[in-house]
């Protein structure tokens, strides 16, 4: 009986599978062309000495793992990895705390939520180049408003982006300033979905604000918190534009991230083979960091 | 039948109109140039050429690193996007070695005798011309007039690096910054340092293109550079100019393209004397940052591009760019009495251009300055001492140069 049913259902089932495959095909093609193809070639070039200009006369040669060993042995690359990890941890922690605090604050407002939402989002809406150049002007040792204010208060002034003691901190500060609104936006949306009944129950039970936060709010938005942390981690790990515009990786490599290192030592001298090896290492590191969330999301 | 005839006639008319329109359509030339005054002066000369040759010129203005990458990325295409490109002298070896540039001699262009000979040395490979020196950038010493005077010096009294250090130290004691250097990128750091190194009789490579950065001359120059920058600060280009202009800073290595001094301006520039100390041997210490122009080998309009290059290099056209900040590498412009009456600083520029030094013409220059600049940055920031930093740089550069 069951065999007969299967035999009857099979043509329909096959048809629906074929329909599913047809529907997926355009997406698969786009993914293959736009993601898999470049990734494959990056991987392929990472095993060669491919240089864009030299390639015009002699083809790239296979050098196995030489690019990888050169990278791992290079003290400046190791420093760049350490800088990137340090930057990611600091930026993500501060962005999460500040963004969450902003979301709680706006969520608790009885009036003016819309205005606050727009005002707090503004830094995130600005292009990174504009943000970097604005901060460069504000922190300029000559005409920057920050040093002028410090001077008027008889406080010490700094050459913020050229001083080894301040450059890294300034980059973290600017990134936190620009990206905290992103965390705010996601967490604010998540806060809207927390059932009011749970807050009422907590209030009836006599829970204070601290307990309500840890036993009602956070458990309800923990998935959003994890997603935010993941997205910010990936984004912070790939930091390039701010570093390139503001410090170029200096002073003394103190702000060089992996991407900036690859730009200085690989891409700007058109050594794409070397650059590709670095890109693969970076991808693996980001995948490793993301794996916890992906594993959790896939159940 | 009538309808068919009318339709055919209408179709023929539309076709003929299209053909006529396409025949009259101007040819498009695409120029890839260094952003700033360098591109401005070219752009202002273009309308006359466009009208005369029925062409339209589209300009892409890029920063130095983007310009290098832009030209290189386009070079791998069989048919290039660009018809005229601006090239930094230090890229010449890499570009010609890899066939990026068209042979201008083959295309019928030659430089005339009015062009300052020293500026043309890197333009030739085996007597074949590949580039034309367009914008005469050469390192100069920018200074704030009031700060120099306050230190008891006149510009003509600045005869050595010792004098510069003395002025900067006095400026620092007076509460201003002394020497401002560009420490934002490895390239800027190296180029800023090269005039100091030359004043000590040193250079970064020998005649066999082997690195010479772990030498006594280099160490002495590095120590002098450290003494100079201890009086000031690291700043980006715009801040450096603002510093020297306002007097917040006293001196810095600059380029004529950055600043146009007048009799009333608070800042001015002079050529470095080339002596490390008073009475010491004088070396040629002016480093070229000349922007040359050439035609990419894969340009689809080579003949027209060479005509444009000839037009831009024309003595009269070049002289007309002077009021807008143009610095031609031509005697007829830089020694012209009319020009000198308004822009007396061109006498300094002309002298510096006559005896300048190009950065090493080696295909590995980009990697070379990245390695050297990184180690110099470490020394400046106290991560390594001079001996260790330069020994590390020497080892890495020897590895690079094979």
């Amino acid at each position: 009986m069951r065999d007969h049913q299967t035999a009857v259902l099979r043509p329909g089932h096959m048809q629906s599978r074929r329909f599913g495959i047809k529907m997926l095909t355009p997406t698969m093609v786009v993914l293959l062309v736009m993601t898999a193809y470049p990734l494959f070639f990056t991987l392929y070039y990472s095993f060669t000495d491919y240089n864009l200009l030299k390639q015009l006369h002699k083809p790239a040669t296979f050098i196995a793992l030489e690019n990888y060993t050169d990278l791992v042995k290079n003290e400046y690359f190791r420093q760049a990895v350490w800088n990137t990890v340090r930057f990611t941890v600091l930026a993500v922690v501060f962005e999460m705390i500040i963004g969450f605090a902003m979301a709680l604050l706006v969520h608790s407002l009885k009036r003016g939520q819309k205005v606050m939402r727009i005002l707090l989002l503004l830094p995130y809406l600005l292009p990174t180049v504009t943000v970097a150049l604005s901060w460069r002007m504000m922190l300029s040792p000559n005409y920057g408003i920050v040093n002028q204010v410090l001077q008027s208060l008889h406080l010490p002034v700094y050459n913020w982006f050229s001083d080894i003691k301040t450059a890294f901190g300034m980059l973290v500060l600017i990134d936190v300033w620009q990206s905290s609104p992103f965390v705010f936006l996601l967490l604010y949306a998540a806060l809207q979905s927390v059932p009011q009944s749970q807050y009422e129950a907590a209030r009836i039970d006599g829970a204070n604000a601290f307990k309500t936060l840890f036993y009602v709010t956070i458990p309800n938005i923990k998935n959003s918190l994890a997603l935010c942390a993941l997205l910010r981690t990936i984004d912070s790990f790939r930091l390039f534009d701010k570093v390139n515009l503001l410090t170029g990786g200096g002073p003394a490599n103190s702000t060089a991230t992996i991407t900036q290192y690859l730009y200085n030592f690989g891409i700007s001298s058109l050594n794409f083979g070397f650059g590709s090896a670095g890109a693969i290492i970076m991808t693996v590191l980001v995948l490793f960091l993301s794996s916890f969330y992906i594993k959790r999301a896939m159940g | 039948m009538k309808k068919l005839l009318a339709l055919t006639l209408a179709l023929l008319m539309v076709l003929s109109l299209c053909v006529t329109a396409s025949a009259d359509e101007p040819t498009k030339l695409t120029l890839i140039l260094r952003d700033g005054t360098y591109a401005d002066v070219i752009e202002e000369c273009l309308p006359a050429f466009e009208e005369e040759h029925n062409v339209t010129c589209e300009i892409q203005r890029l920063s130095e690193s983007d310009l290098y990458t832009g030209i290189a990325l386009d070079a791998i295409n069989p048919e290039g996007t660009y018809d005229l490109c601006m090239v930094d002298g230090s890229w010449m070896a890499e570009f010609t070695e890899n066939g990026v540039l068209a042979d201008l001699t083959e295309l019928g262009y030659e430089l005339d005798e009015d062009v300052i000979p020293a500026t043309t040395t890197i333009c030739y490979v085996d007597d074949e011309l590949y580039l034309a020196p367009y914008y005469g950038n050469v390192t100069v010493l920018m200074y704030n007039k009031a700060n120099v005077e306050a230190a008891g010096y006149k510009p003509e009294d600045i005869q050595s690096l010792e004098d510069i250090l003395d002025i900067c130290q006095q400026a620092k004691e007076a509460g201003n910054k002394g020497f401002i250097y560009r420490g934002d990128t490895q390239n800027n750091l190296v180029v800023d340092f090269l005039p100091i190194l030359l004043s000590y009789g040193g250079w970064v490579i020998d005649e066999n293109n082997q690195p010479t950065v772990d030498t006594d001359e280099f160490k002495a120059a590095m120590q002098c550079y450290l003494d100079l920058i201890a009086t000031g600060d690291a700043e980006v280009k715009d801040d450096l100019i603002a510093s020297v202009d306002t007097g917040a800073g006293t001196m810095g290595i600059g380029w004529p393209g950055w600043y146009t001094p007048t009799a009333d301006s608070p800042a001015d520039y002079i050529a470095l004397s080339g002596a490390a100390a008073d009475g010491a041997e004088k070396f040629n210490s002016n480093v070229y940052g000349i922007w040359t122009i050439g035609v990419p080998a894969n340009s689809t309009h080579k003949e027209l591009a060479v005509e444009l290059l000839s037009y831009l290099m024309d003595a009269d056209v070049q002289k007309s760019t002077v009021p807008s900040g143009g610095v031609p590498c031509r005697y007829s412009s830089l020694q012209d009495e009319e020009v000198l009456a308004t822009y007396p600083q061109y006498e300094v520029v002309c002298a510096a251009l006559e005896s300048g030094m190009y950065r090493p013409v080696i295909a590995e220059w980009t990697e070379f300055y990245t390695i050297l600049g990184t180690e110099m940055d470490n020394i400046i920031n106290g991560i390594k001492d001079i001996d260790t930093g330069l020994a590390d740089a020497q080892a890495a550069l020897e590895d690079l140069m094979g």
Side-chain angles (χ1 to χ4, degrees), chain A residues 74-118:
Chain A
N74 190 299
E75 61 171 312
Y76 297 123
F77 180 71
R78 292 201 300 267
Q79 188 180 354
V81 173
W82 170 235
N83 285 343
T84 308
V85 172
R86 210 158 49 110
F87 177 87
T88 304
V89 171
L90 286 171
V92 172
V93 166
F94 283 116
E95 283 160 18
M96 290 300 292
I97 292 171
I98 294 169
F100 188 35
M102 280 156 62
L104 286 173
L105 175 79
V106 176
H107 185 64
S108 69
L109 290 176
K110 296 278 182 281
R111 284 193 306 178
Q113 277 201 15
K114 276 185 186 166
V115 178
M116 283 300 283
R117 225 161 47 197
I118 293 166

Side-chain angles (χ1 to χ4, degrees), chain A residues 50-58 70 75-76 79 136-137 139-144 147 158-159 161-164 244-254 260-261 263-272, chain B residues 65-66 68-69 71-77 94-100 177 181 183-186 233-236 238-240 242-243 246 248-249 363-364 366-367 369-371 374-375 377-378 381 383-384 392:
Chain A
Y50 179 57
N51 177 293
L52 185 85
L53 279 185
K54 287 174 188 152
Q55 175 78 9
L56 289 171
H57 291 290
K58 73 173 182 74
D70 283 352
E75 61 171 312
Y76 297 123
Q79 188 180 354
R136 192 159 86 181
M137 277 195 277
L139 295 170
S140 161
N142 288 313
Y143 44 80
N147 274 3
Y158 293 95
N159 191 348
F161 294 119
S162 300
D163 192 324
I164 201 163
N244 194 43
L245 283 164
L246 294 171
T247 64
N253 288 298
S254 61
Q260 183 65 42
Y261 172 87
Y263 178 77
N264 284 346
F265 289 88
I267 307 303
S268 68
S269 45
L270 309 174
N271 285 325
F272 287 179
Chain B
S65 56
D66 288 341
Y68 169 79
T69 319
I71 297 168
L73 284 175
D74 193 49
I76 58 171
N77 301 320
E94 195 176 7
F95 280 4
T96 48
E97 208 171 275
N98 295 299
V100 175
K177 289 175 195 163
Y181 74 104
D184 52 338
T185 64
Q186 289 96 343
D233 227 343
E235 292 182 8
V236 294
D238 293 342
D239 279 335
L240 189 155
S243 270
T246 58
E364 298 85 357
T366 310
E367 290 146 292
Y369 73 64
T370 305
I371 293 168
T374 301
E375 294 301 344
D377 200 16
N378 282 330
N381 286 287
I383 307 293
K384 291 181 182 177
D392 288 351

Side-chain angles (χ1 to χ4, degrees), chain A:
Chain A
M1 184 68 181
R2 188 176 286 165
D3 283 345
H4 175 70
Q5 267 183 344
T6 314
V8 172
L9 285 173
R10 193 166 284 154
H13 179 67
M14 288 296 284
Q15 209 174 3
S16 103
R17 268 193 69 178
R18 254 187 248 127
F19 179 74
I21 290 168
K22 273 182 196 166
M23 287 295 102
L24 279 175
T25 306
T27 313
M28 292 303 289
V29 170
V30 171
L31 272 176
L32 278 172
V33 173
M34 307 297 283
T35 309
Y37 178 80
L39 196 66
F40 169 76
F41 268 88
T42 306
L43 185 67
Y44 167 73
Y45 284 137
S46 72
F47 299 112
T48 69
D49 63 352
Y50 179 57
N51 177 293
L52 185 85
L53 279 185
K54 287 174 188 152
Q55 175 78 9
L56 289 171
H57 291 290
K58 73 173 182 74
T61 46
F62 181 75
I63 54 168
L65 293 172
E66 200 178 310
N67 285 327
Y68 290 95
T69 49
D70 283 352
L71 271 170
V72 175
K73 276 194 281 181
N74 190 299
E75 61 171 312
Y76 297 123
F77 180 71
R78 292 201 300 267
Q79 188 180 354
V81 173
W82 170 235
N83 285 343
T84 308
V85 172
R86 210 158 49 110
F87 177 87
T88 304
V89 171
L90 286 171
V92 172
V93 166
F94 283 116
E95 283 160 18
M96 290 300 292
I97 292 171
I98 294 169
F100 188 35
M102 280 156 62
L104 286 173
L105 175 79
V106 176
H107 185 64
S108 69
L109 290 176
K110 296 278 182 281
R111 284 193 306 178
Q113 277 201 15
K114 276 185 186 166
V115 178
M116 283 300 283
R117 225 161 47 197
I118 293 166
L119 287 176
L120 289 173
L121 263 180
L122 281 177
Y124 187 67
L125 301 178
L126 292 170
T128 309
V129 177
T130 313
V131 168
L133 296 179
S134 304
W135 276 93
R136 192 159 86 181
M137 277 195 277
M138 287 197 293
L139 295 170
S140 161
N142 288 313
Y143 44 80
I145 191 166
V146 175
N147 274 3
Q148 284 183 21
V149 169
L150 290 175
Q151 246 166 355
S152 67
L153 297 170
H154 303 289
L155 291 168
V157 295
Y158 293 95
N159 191 348
W160 301 98
F161 294 119
S162 300
D163 192 324
I164 201 163
K165 295 192 286 287
T166 55
F168 186 82
M170 283 302 107
L171 286 176
V172 175
L173 174 80
I174 295 167
D175 197 66
V176 169
W177 178 82
Q178 195 190 11
S179 301
S180 294
F182 170 78
V183 177
F184 153 71
L185 187 70
L186 281 192
L187 297 185
Y188 177 74
L191 285 175
Q192 311 293 315
S193 64
V194 181
Q196 284 303 308
S197 57
Q198 291 192 17
Y199 284 118
E200 278 161 26
R203 207 176 307 126
I204 291 163
D205 288 346
N208 58 22
F210 185 77
K211 281 189 172 166
T212 310
L213 176 70
F214 279 92
Y215 293 104
V216 178
T217 310
I218 292 178
N220 271 296
I221 62 165
K222 64 180 181 195
N223 282 339
S224 300
L225 281 167
L227 176 67
C228 256
L230 172 82
L231 293 176
R232 287 309 311 143
T233 303
I234 293 172
D235 205 36
S236 303
F237 214 84
R238 295 179 303 148
L239 178 78
F240 172 70
D241 33 19
K242 288 190 193 85
V243 178
N244 194 43
L245 283 164
L246 294 171
T247 64
N253 288 298
S254 61
T255 62
T257 53
I258 300 176
T259 45
Q260 183 65 42
Y261 172 87
L262 295 178
Y263 178 77
N264 284 346
F265 289 88
I267 307 303
S268 68
S269 45
L270 309 174
N271 285 325
F272 287 179
F274 186 74
S276 298
I280 294 294
I281 290 180
M282 205 175 107
T283 309
V284 170
L285 286 172
V286 174
L287 272 176
F288 174 73
L289 286 172
S290 319
S291 60
F292 301 107
Y293 180 81
I294 293 168
K295 216 167 145 185
R296 186 193 158 102
M298 291 177 88

